[in-house]
Amino acid sequence: MKTAEIAQRYLTYFEKQGHTIVPSASLVTDDPALLFTVAGMVPFIPYLSGDVPAPYKRAADNQKCIRTNDIEEVGKTPRHGTFFQMLGNWSFGDYFKEGAIRYAWELLTTPEADGGLGFDPKDLWVTVYEEDDEARDLWLRLTDLPDERIQRLGKDTNYWSTGLPGPAGPCSEIFFDRGPAYGIDGGPATDDDRYVEIWNLVFMQYEITDVKSKYDFTIVGELPAKNIDTGMGLERIAFLKQGVDNMYETDQVRPVLDKAVELSGRTYGADHEDDVRFRVIADHVRSSLMLLSDGVTPSNEGRGYILRRLMRRAIRAMRLLGVDGPTFADLFAASRDAMKDAYPIVGEEYDRLSAYALAEEATFLRTLAAGSEILDESVAQTKAAGGAELSGSQAFLLHDTYGFPIDLTLEIAEEAGISVDRAAFDTLMQEQRARAKADARSRKRQLADTSVYRDFRAQGETVFTGYTDLETESRILGILVDGHPAQRATAGQIAEVILAETALYAESGGQVADKGVIVGPGFELDVLDVQKPVPGLISHTVEVASGEVGVGQPATTVVDVANRRAARQAHSATHLVHAALRDTLGKGATQAGSLNRAGYMRFDFAWGQALSDATKSEIEEIAGNAVRDNLEVTTRVLPLAEAKELGAMALFGEKYGDTVRMVDIGGPWSRELCAGTHVSSSAEIGLISLVGESSVGASTRRVEALVGQNAFRELAAERAIVSQLTSSLKAPRDELPARIAELQANLKAAEKKIAQFEAKALGDRAPQLAETATRVGSQLLVAQSIGTAGSGDDLRTLAVQVRDRFGSEAAVVALAAEVNGRPVVIVATNDAARAAGAKAGVLAKAAAAALGGGGGGRDDVAQGGGADVAAIPAALQAVTAGLAAG
């Protein structure tokens, strides 16, 4: 049974049981505590918690998920995958334990010919929470499971909570017995790979507080509406129904594994380590493709870092399989073909998605080459110093700064005959992880408890009137002070105010929040921010400028008209620039993020190279022509499917319901789904002036523009500068570039002459410096500060000149100077000194330590530096002491 067929059977069954079929949410979640949708329940959290009324009593879905906390287990077990799909059925205050158990058992055990999944009841086991007698009795009554195949387990496995105050409850899990070939008898309690969990039924019936840990909390009481949250792992069902040993060999994953086998020339099933690598590649390539399809792009932080890590682990695995060159073109194409039927976007947008993957692969292959050079140098220095172990800090630097994998460091070091201080490396890694976890915990603690908005949201959605009105009369539904409900707020206090209606735009879709005021009888509130803390609810963060505001009072929201006008201009300008980019570069230049505020727009788009000046001018001209042509701007609210049929573009990071708002500028020329505020005709935008273009990732560029009055002011400022230059340089405007180029050439020539004079002056000091030599043991030493030097190269040249004056007599020269405000020491040794054991690199490192910095180099010439110029005498003394000790 194919994976897609399993999903369809599941959804068809629950649709027949009266469930609303809900499409999968994006892998990129709105939950600020999470980077990704890590579980099937994430999109339903507002309904499960009661913060937002559920739009249906019962639902079912097939939800895309990404989870990387067990990434090291990928490929080693039959079921660990970073991308996976969760089949879920949900009840929001409707059916409870009995219904959930009946539905699960019926679907699992109904024969395939009758639309079920065809599991033999004798192969199924069940676990329940040890204190949940009700669930155990229901399993016995509703199914033919014998008592011995229903096991009681504790909170660590069979009790669900988020780890935060809110809903919680016991759960019951269904397991499939793979048979004695896979492990010992004894049921799921044996915690063996023989018993595979295929379905988890969460009975969300309690509200908890005083949460000290996931298992230590206080139950306040039962929830007013009990919910059902169930999940069945699609990949787990697939590998069981397809008769393979693990999820990596199912129909949606195996094609990538087979392509890796083909590219490497190795055999799957012949070597355990190679098999793990093949499975890692298959999993990570599919996960990367799905993340790309939901708008995530490689970067060094957040979601982009996770994607980059997945890609680089796949590249590394291919390297360990003996393939050093690029492979993503083949691997990603194989994943596309396996996934496009279930997720058409990976086929429709493949050219754009694969561009990111190929660019990331090329970048990392260059990183591996550069890292290998750095590592080779570190290994050489270690061996030259007589060491047999590369420091853990050096290995960590390669990993953390250059993205160089530790296993590759170990491999190369071993080939060179030295080891790596793995214990020190692991300590540094643990410290980094601890910092990351602390940051995550801190972020989680700082999150507002959204349950405070539950009662407000239960009264209905906040009505936004700002598309047509700049003032709206309403009433105060609620006030929050320091995150807690309050009846009133007084002058000087910061508070959140919830209204039934508002004309103030809440930040979303790249457009920042409106500015304005809220006024009422005896009070005035300055609006600091406007947000949507839960879907459908708008909250205004305000400072009470005067008076006292209370719950239930009438209030009028008043938009700052000038700021709104400029924000509308910027947002509409963003649409014009997007259309101009696609006209100029092609359909591949799709949005990857935006920011619009009064007078300014920033637009990120998929593109792999810098734009030429000519291209930027063309984009600016196309957008400007659209302004000149006074194109009509229209908005329509219509079904999502109809908007897509009309060619409307969905913007990066936005979530859309069944009904959407479509913004047209000039008809289909610019047609996007957008909830922002816009001008009524393009001429209202005014001037659009591109002021910046830069890279923000391997395949993402950013353009910035000033809009309207801000653009005029910028051009006026530039005109004033040009006027000053024409006056100062006594040249017409058209001749300014040539005149400035001439001045630059003259300045460069003058600087070159000055450098030559300074170098000659330094060189003239060589005889005098040589005369300061003192004897240290069998060698002569010159250890002097020369004051200041133009560059480290000048100081190096002088040190070599002084050294060469000693001929065949053993001599060491250490010269120090202040270069650009920082201390620099150069140590030079001749052949005789080195034969006597003097090493410039060792002595320079000793000097640098005294300067509070670092240093080293070859045995003949080396350099050290630091931050403390006053420590130069101590640095020279360190050289003297080092030479005497050697």
Side-chain angles (χ1 to χ4, degrees):
M1 191 182 295
K2 298 292 187 183
T3 303
E5 182 185 350
I6 296 169
Q8 190 55 56
R9 283 176 179 247
Y10 183 93
L11 297 176
T12 298
Y13 172 82
F14 279 102
E15 187 173 28
K16 290 178 179 178
Q17 309 307 321
H19 291 64
T20 299
I21 304 305
V22 180
S24 174
S26 171
L27 290 169
V28 178
T29 177
D30 290 327
D31 191 326
L34 301 170
L35 288 176
F36 297 115
T37 301
V38 297
M41 56 85 69
V42 170
F44 295 96
I45 288 176
Y47 310 144
L48 295 169
S49 65
D51 293 345
V52 177
Y56 23 67
K57 284 292 187 181
R58 48 178 72 182
D61 69 334
N62 178 18
Q63 175 61 48
K64 301 179 292 185
C65 302
I66 284 281
R67 190 182 299 167
T68 58
N69 55 321
D70 292 329
I71 193 170
E72 300 298 337
E73 297 303 312
V74 171
K76 299 176 182 177
T77 75
R79 59 187 183 275
H80 277 99
T82 51
F83 172 83
F84 58 98
Q85 300 159 87
M86 288 300 293
L87 300 167
N89 58 283
W90 314 83
S91 167
F92 305 103
D94 190 8
Y95 62 84
F96 198 49
K97 291 182 184 180
E98 180 171 346
I101 290 171
R102 178 182 290 113
Y103 291 144
W105 188 257
E106 183 174 270
L107 177 57
L108 283 173
T109 59
T110 295
E112 291 183 17
D114 297 328
L117 295 177
F119 283 93
D120 191 329
K122 69 178 178 59
D123 294 328
L124 301 179
W125 288 65
V126 164
T127 64
V128 297
Y129 176 51
E130 57 191 358
E131 298 177 10
D132 192 356
D133 295 332
E134 179 187 7
R136 177 185 172 279
D137 292 343
L138 284 168
W139 278 112
L140 289 171
R141 177 165 64 84
L142 297 173
T143 74
D144 52 3
L145 274 172
D147 183 67
E148 62 269 17
R149 279 199 274 130
I150 303 174
Q151 295 185 324
R152 295 176 182 265
L153 297 177
K155 278 184 180 178
D156 56 336
T157 59
N158 279 64
Y159 206 97
W160 177 88
S161 78
T162 63
L164 294 171
C171 53
S172 180
E173 298 177 333
I174 306 173
F175 290 79
F176 177 80
D177 180 3
R178 302 171 75 194
Y182 292 92
I184 61 173
D185 197 4
T190 60
D191 193 25
D192 195 274
D193 280 344
R194 169 173 170 172
Y195 301 92
V196 178
E197 177 203 329
I198 57 175
W199 205 324
N200 184 16
L201 295 82
V202 176
F203 308 129
M204 208 174 293
Q205 64 187 106
Y206 299 115
E207 183 156 2
I208 62 173
T209 187
D210 191 26
V211 181
K212 299 181 178 64
S213 73
K214 193 171 181 180
Y215 314 116
D216 185 3
F217 47 77
T218 300
I219 296 177
V220 178
E222 292 203 345
L223 292 169
K226 299 175 183 178
N227 300 321
I228 286 294
D229 159 12
T230 78
M232 182 164 70
L234 180 54
E235 281 76 12
R236 296 189 184 190
I237 297 295
F239 86 72
L240 294 173
K241 295 303 294 181
Q242 292 173 20
V244 295
D245 283 340
N246 54 67
M247 62 164 286
Y248 315 102
E249 298 175 15
T250 59
D251 60 302
Q252 288 187 345
V253 189
R254 181 66 187 247
V256 184
L257 189 153
D258 289 339
K259 180 57 68 173
V261 168
E262 177 188 329
L263 294 171
S264 68
R266 300 195 186 184
T267 302
Y268 182 60
D271 178 85
H272 173 71
E273 291 299 324
D274 281 356
D275 288 353
V276 170
R277 291 163 188 151
F278 282 128
R279 294 193 285 261
V280 165
I281 293 162
D283 172 84
H284 287 8
V285 166
R286 183 173 78 140
S287 298
S288 298
L289 178 64
M290 298 310 297
L291 283 169
L292 287 165
S293 73
D294 272 352
V296 182
T297 55
S299 69
N300 284 330
E301 57 185 25
R303 299 180 178 97
Y305 173 75
I306 299 298
L307 172 58
R308 172 163 285 168
R309 186 183 181 200
L310 290 169
M311 288 184 175
R312 293 187 169 189
R313 278 173 59 90
I315 295 168
R316 173 62 183 140
M318 285 301 300
R319 184 184 176 105
L320 291 172
L321 289 168
V323 184
D324 293 335
T327 60
F328 273 8
D330 294 311
L331 295 173
F332 273 79
S335 189
R336 170 202 60 197
D337 294 342
M339 298 299 295
K340 65 183 180 183
D341 289 341
Y343 300 97
I345 189 174
V346 302
E348 297 163 0
E349 299 287 328
Y350 183 70
D351 288 346
R352 178 176 63 86
L353 306 182
S354 62
Y356 284 109
L358 298 181
E360 181 64 22
E361 180 182 42
T363 298
F364 188 50
L365 289 175
R366 289 194 296 270
T367 294
L368 288 176
S372 295
E373 291 181 8
I374 296 169
L375 178 56
D376 288 343
E377 182 178 342
S378 298
V379 168
Q381 290 179 357
T382 300
K383 295 178 74 173
E389 183 178 68
L390 189 71
S391 71
S393 59
Q394 184 66 26
F396 181 76
L397 176 69
L398 283 164
H399 167 83
D400 196 49
T401 303
Y402 300 100
F404 203 74
I406 181 59
D407 52 354
L408 185 56
T409 299
L410 292 168
E411 178 185 311
I412 293 175
E414 183 179 0
E415 291 171 355
I418 66 172
S419 61
V420 177
D421 188 347
R422 183 62 189 266
F425 172 85
D426 289 342
T427 298
L428 291 168
M429 283 296 296
Q430 288 169 4
E431 290 173 355
Q432 185 188 62
R433 291 184 184 122
R435 288 192 297 269
K437 287 180 180 178
D439 289 343
R441 285 194 298 270
S442 175
R443 182 176 62 195
K444 193 171 184 180
R445 282 194 300 269
Q446 292 168 8
L447 293 175
D449 180 1
T450 58
S451 65
V452 299
Y453 303 104
R454 186 181 302 164
D455 292 340
F456 307 134
R457 183 61 180 81
Q459 298 178 52
E461 294 192 18
T462 309
V463 178
F464 175 62
T465 64
Y467 291 131
T468 56
D469 301 327
L470 296 176
E471 291 189 17
T472 293
E473 294 181 358
S474 187
R475 62 187 178 88
I476 306 290
L477 295 181
I479 297 172
L480 300 174
V481 177
D482 295 329
H484 301 288
Q487 286 300 306
R488 60 186 54 81
T490 58
Q493 281 191 301
I494 305 294
E496 283 185 73
V497 171
I498 313 295
L499 303 169
E501 301 88 15
T502 182
L504 292 157
Y505 184 80
E507 180 179 358
S508 62
Q511 181 175 332
V512 302
D514 271 335
K515 295 181 179 179
V517 295
I518 301 174
V519 296
F523 68 82
E524 180 173 338
L525 315 176
D526 291 333
V527 176
L528 307 178
D529 194 14
V530 190
Q531 295 290 332
K532 296 178 180 177
V534 297
L537 187 75
I538 295 176
S539 171
H540 310 75
T541 300
V542 302
E543 181 176 3
V544 183
S546 62
E548 179 179 282
V549 60
V551 175
Q553 286 185 285
T556 300
T557 53
V558 181
V559 176
D560 182 322
V561 176
N563 183 77
R564 166 70 78 81
R565 181 187 302 114
R568 290 190 311 173
Q569 289 174 311
H571 203 153
S572 296
T574 302
H575 285 221
L576 295 188
V577 169
H578 189 187
L581 280 163
R582 289 169 64 81
D583 267 6
T584 306
L585 304 177
K587 293 184 178 180
T590 53
Q591 180 176 358
S594 68
L595 174 67
N596 313 289
R597 62 171 182 261
Y600 170 85
M601 58 143 287
R602 185 182 77 202
F603 188 83
D604 297 345
F605 60 100
W607 201 249
Q609 59 191 35
L611 304 184
S612 66
D613 290 339
T615 299
K616 287 184 284 187
S617 295
E618 184 178 358
I619 292 166
E620 196 172 61
E621 183 176 359
I622 291 172
N625 288 342
V627 173
R628 178 203 63 196
D629 293 342
N630 195 23
L631 303 175
E632 183 181 12
V633 179
T634 60
T635 61
R636 281 184 281 172
V637 176
L638 68 170
L640 176 61
E642 183 180 343
K644 288 184 175 180
E645 287 178 6
L646 291 170
M649 294 192 63
L651 301 188
F652 172 83
E654 286 292 282
K655 311 297 187 297
Y656 301 100
D658 294 334
T659 302
V660 295
R661 182 171 182 262
M662 185 172 75
V663 178
D664 285 359
I665 303 180
W669 182 69
S670 170
R671 177 168 286 166
E672 301 188 13
L673 303 183
C674 181
T677 62
H678 289 275
V679 298
S680 57
S681 67
S682 61
E684 294 178 31
I685 295 172
L687 185 64
I688 301 173
S689 176
L690 294 184
V691 294
E693 192 272 339
S694 59
S695 170
V696 289
S699 296
T700 305
R701 305 295 299 181
R702 170 175 292 172
V703 291
E704 298 174 88
L706 297 176
V707 182
Q709 284 295 109
N710 280 16
F712 280 110
R713 293 188 188 100
E714 178 71 10
L715 291 177
E718 290 183 359
R719 184 173 61 184
I721 293 171
V722 170
S723 177
Q724 292 175 3
L725 288 172
T726 58
S727 175
S728 299
L729 300 179
K730 308 296 188 212
R733 184 180 65 181
D734 294 345
E735 295 179 9
L736 280 178
R739 179 69 176 127
I740 292 173
E742 178 187 352
L743 290 173
Q744 287 177 321
N746 291 341
L747 178 60
K748 189 174 182 179
E751 289 174 341
K752 184 176 181 181
K753 287 184 178 179
I754 291 171
Q756 290 172 344
F757 283 128
E758 289 179 343
K760 184 178 184 304
L762 277 176
D764 291 343
R765 297 180 63 179
Q768 178 185 358
L769 289 167
E771 291 176 1
T772 67
T774 58
R775 188 165 295 280
V776 178
S778 62
Q779 303 175 70
L780 293 173
L781 172 65
V782 174
Q784 295 290 326
S785 171
I786 66 166
T788 61
S791 69
D793 288 342
D794 291 343
L795 189 62
R796 180 184 296 263
T797 299
L798 179 59
V800 171
Q801 289 176 347
V802 174
R803 178 196 67 184
D804 292 346
R805 298 187 70 85
F806 291 101
S808 61
E809 190 171 5
V812 176
V813 176
L815 298 184
E818 181 181 338
V819 178
N820 297 324
R822 300 180 69 87
V824 174
V825 173
I826 300 293
V827 179
T829 62
N830 60 16
D831 292 341
R834 290 193 294 277
K839 296 181 178 180
V842 174
L843 296 173
K845 189 172 184 179
L851 296 172
R858 301 191 311 270
D859 290 346
D860 58 339
V861 181
Q863 179 174 324
D868 187 2
V869 174
I872 284 179
L876 295 174
Q877 182 57 42
V879 173
T880 303
L883 186 62

